[in-house]
């Protein structure tokens, strides 16, 4: 083990097992010198060796170490892909929502979650903007990902299609499903996607879909194998089809809102007793939106009392600028007539 760790001499498992090669020669030359301490170390070393995962490059891919590296990369990416999907570090109340979404699957599905599902599950998580739909869906995707060889994670579809077009998203989708290292827009369209997904057990996440054409262009006409999961997030419930199972993600309750705010504003589970009332007032202005709680909590971290009081006054009149920019996305997605109706209704509440 010392030779292996120091990298001064290559020792194979067969050398140790059968006492061959340089290791066997050295062992026999010095066998008479072995004392109890060496014997003890030898037993420990052998245990380490037996407990370790040892692969000799000469026995894989005819000794081509480049192919061995590629094989390792593929294996590691397959087993740990979910670790590369970013999630906020301070999740609050997410486990409750995950359990509820998982329960949307039929009871037969949940009895055999690690083998075969009774049918393909198409689940839509919908709700207003900045309410953490993507976080919830990503958590579920990571929970399920190690059960699927064929999977695709498409984040922020609405903005990506707006900036790069549907063909780009389709080609990325195909690349994900086929595990290609790169993607080309020369390979796009729904037909290749249908062929790839034909009778396969797949895991697909379509984030922030805002038009039914997006669904038609990414999963339309696909015949997924039983046990497949397709998770969709959107803001407009009108996009849903009757066969989809839906879950509305609502605002955080006051308890969770105060907890999330406290983690960012005070790095604790609750505000200091002297700031409890003020913190509750500030939290009440956020409407239970996780994004607003994180932004405002981060802004108030370390600030003095006068700034906290001033912030409370401002928030009662208008949301924080960063929150406004995020929420405006929902407004901009409305048709002109709908925008005018929204403004009329907003004025009604303002004057009352």
């Amino acid at each position: 083990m010392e030779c292996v760790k120091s990298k001064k001499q290559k020792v194979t498992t067969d050398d140790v097992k059968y006492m061959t090669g340089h290791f066997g020669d050295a062992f026999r030359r010095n066998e008479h010198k072995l004392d109890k301490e060496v014997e003890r170390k030898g037993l420990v070393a052998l245990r380490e060796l037996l407990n370790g995962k040892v692969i000799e490059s000469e026995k894989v891919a005819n000794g081509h170490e480049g192919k061995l590296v590629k094989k390792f990369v593929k294996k590691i990416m397959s087993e740990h892909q979910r670790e590369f999907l970013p999630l906020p570090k301070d999740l609050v109340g997410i486990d409750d929502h995950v359990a509820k979404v998982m329960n949307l699957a039929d009871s037969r599905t949940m009895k055999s979650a690690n083998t075969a599902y009774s049918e393909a599950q198409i689940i839509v998580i919908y709700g207003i903007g900045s309410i953490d739909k993507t976080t919830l869906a990503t958590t579920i995707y990571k929970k399920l990902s190690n059960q699927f060889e064929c999977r695709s994670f498409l984040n922020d579809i609405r903005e990506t299609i707006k900036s790069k077009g549907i063909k780009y998203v389709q080609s990325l989708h195909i690349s994900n499903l086929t595990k290609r290292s790169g993607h080309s827009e020369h390979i796009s369209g729904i037909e290749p996607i249908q062929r790839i997904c034909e009778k396969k057990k797949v895991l697909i996440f379509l984030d922030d879909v805002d038009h039914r054409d997006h669904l038609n262009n990414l999963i339309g006409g696909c015949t997924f194998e039983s046990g497949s999961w397709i998770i969709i997030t959107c803001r407009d419930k009108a996009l849903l089809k009757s066969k989809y199972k839906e879950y509305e993600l609502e605002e955080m309750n006051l308890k969770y809102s105060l907890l999330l705010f406290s983690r960012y504003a005070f790095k604790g589970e609750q505000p200091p007793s002297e700031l409890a009332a003020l913190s509750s007032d500030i939290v009440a202005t956020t409407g239970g939106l996780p994004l607003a709680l994180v932004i405002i909590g981060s802004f108030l971290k370390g600030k003095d009392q006068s700034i906290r009081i001033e912030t409370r006054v401002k928030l009662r009149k208008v949301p924080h600028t960063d929150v406004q920019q995020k929420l405006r996305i929902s407004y901009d997605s409305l048709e002109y007539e709908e925008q005018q109706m929204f403004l009329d209704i907003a004025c009604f509440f303002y004057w009352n």
Side-chain angles (χ1 to χ4, degrees):
M1 291 300 292
E2 291 177 359
C3 290
V4 172
K5 290 176 180 178
S6 67
K7 298 182 181 179
K8 293 179 180 178
Q9 175 67 51
K10 184 174 181 179
V11 179
T12 69
T13 54
D14 284 347
D15 288 340
V16 177
K17 190 182 241 184
Y18 303 112
M19 293 296 167
T20 58
H22 295 293
F23 177 85
D25 295 340
F27 186 89
R28 283 186 288 274
R29 283 198 306 271
N30 297 279
E31 190 173 7
H32 64 284
K33 299 178 182 178
L34 297 180
D35 56 22
K36 294 293 182 181
E37 178 62 15
V38 173
E39 183 179 355
R40 185 190 66 80
K41 286 184 177 181
L43 291 173
V44 173
L46 285 173
R47 288 194 190 102
E48 288 182 23
L49 183 64
L50 292 172
N51 289 331
K53 293 182 179 178
V54 182
I55 296 178
E56 298 176 51
S57 60
E58 290 86 349
K59 297 182 179 180
V60 179
N62 295 322
H64 292 92
E65 295 192 355
K67 292 182 179 180
L68 175 62
V69 170
K70 289 182 179 179
K71 185 174 181 178
F72 266 119
V73 170
K74 184 177 180 180
K75 180 68 174 177
I76 292 170
M77 290 296 290
S78 176
E79 292 184 354
H80 302 287
Q81 182 186 25
R82 54 184 179 172
E83 296 180 3
F84 297 101
L85 303 177
L87 284 173
K89 59 182 179 180
D90 291 304
L91 297 177
V92 174
I94 195 73
D95 292 339
D96 295 341
H97 294 297
V98 170
K100 290 176 181 177
V101 173
M102 298 296 287
N103 284 335
L104 286 177
D106 60 77
S107 58
R108 290 171 297 168
T109 294
M110 301 312 295
K111 288 179 182 178
S112 54
N114 292 319
T115 54
Y117 296 100
S118 59
E119 61 180 35
Q121 305 292 328
I122 302 180
I123 296 179
V124 179
I125 300 171
Y126 70 95
I128 62 175
S130 303
I131 203 167
D132 272 2
K133 298 183 296 295
T134 300
T135 299
L136 172 58
T138 302
T139 302
I140 296 169
Y141 183 94
K142 293 180 70 173
K143 182 182 180 70
L144 296 170
S145 62
N146 63 351
Q147 302 173 27
F148 296 83
E149 282 293 323
C150 189
R151 54 184 179 255
S152 178
F153 184 97
L154 295 176
N155 189 41
D156 202 6
I157 288 175
R158 178 179 50 81
E159 284 299 320
T160 306
I161 289 178
K162 187 182 295 184
S163 61
K164 298 183 178 181
I166 186 61
K167 287 187 176 182
Y168 175 88
V169 178
Q170 286 177 325
S171 64
L172 182 60
H173 193 29
I174 292 169
S175 176
N176 291 342
L177 292 169
T178 57
K179 297 183 180 179
R180 292 176 181 169
S181 57
H183 70 279
S184 170
E185 291 188 44
H186 295 296
I187 305 175
S188 60
I190 188 60
E191 292 81 7
I193 297 172
Q194 291 172 345
R195 288 195 297 270
I196 294 167
C197 296
E198 180 75 20
K199 297 181 180 179
K200 284 184 181 178
K201 181 181 171 183
V202 302
L203 173 63
I204 296 173
F205 174 33
L206 306 178
D207 175 50
D208 198 13
V209 174
D210 74 338
H211 201 285
R212 187 166 288 186
D213 282 349
H214 298 170
L215 298 177
N216 294 335
N217 285 316
L218 294 170
I219 60 172
C222 293
T223 54
F224 303 112
E225 182 182 321
S226 296
S228 295
W229 275 69
I230 293 85
I231 308 168
I232 302 166
T233 63
C234 68
R235 304 183 187 206
D236 188 2
K237 186 179 178 181
L239 293 174
L240 307 181
K241 295 182 180 180
S242 58
K243 64 179 181 179
Y244 296 167
K245 297 176 181 180
E246 59 189 61
Y247 181 78
E248 182 179 9
L249 185 58
E250 298 179 339
E251 298 84 353
M252 274 187 171
N253 60 33
L254 182 58
K255 175 185 175 181
Y256 284 149
S257 295
L258 189 59
L259 173 58
L260 182 59
F261 173 80
S262 298
R263 287 182 177 178
Y264 282 86
F266 309 112
K267 293 298 180 182
E269 300 298 291
Q270 60 187 12
S273 56
E274 67 274 15
L275 296 175
L278 178 59
S279 297
S280 295
D281 288 346
I282 293 174
V283 166
T285 67
T286 66
L289 291 179
L291 175 69
L293 292 162
V294 170
I295 289 175
I296 296 168
S298 300
F299 171 73
L300 292 176
K301 179 184 176 183
K303 298 293 194 301
D304 59 38
Q305 184 77 339
S306 62
I307 294 179
R308 292 193 178 101
I309 294 174
E310 181 184 347
T311 300
R312 177 180 60 182
V313 173
K314 289 182 178 179
L315 290 174
R316 284 175 173 173
K317 295 180 180 179
V318 63
H320 189 280
T321 303
D322 291 342
V323 178
Q324 286 187 63
Q325 291 176 352
K326 291 290 185 180
L327 295 178
R328 186 178 176 86
I329 295 173
S330 296
Y331 173 79
D332 291 339
S333 66
L334 298 174
E335 299 293 338
Y336 175 78
E337 291 79 6
E338 294 172 328
Q339 290 180 347
Q340 299 307 305
M341 292 172 62
F342 175 85
L343 294 175
D344 289 342
I345 294 171
C347 289
F348 175 80
F349 282 105
Y350 177 81
W351 290 110
N352 284 275

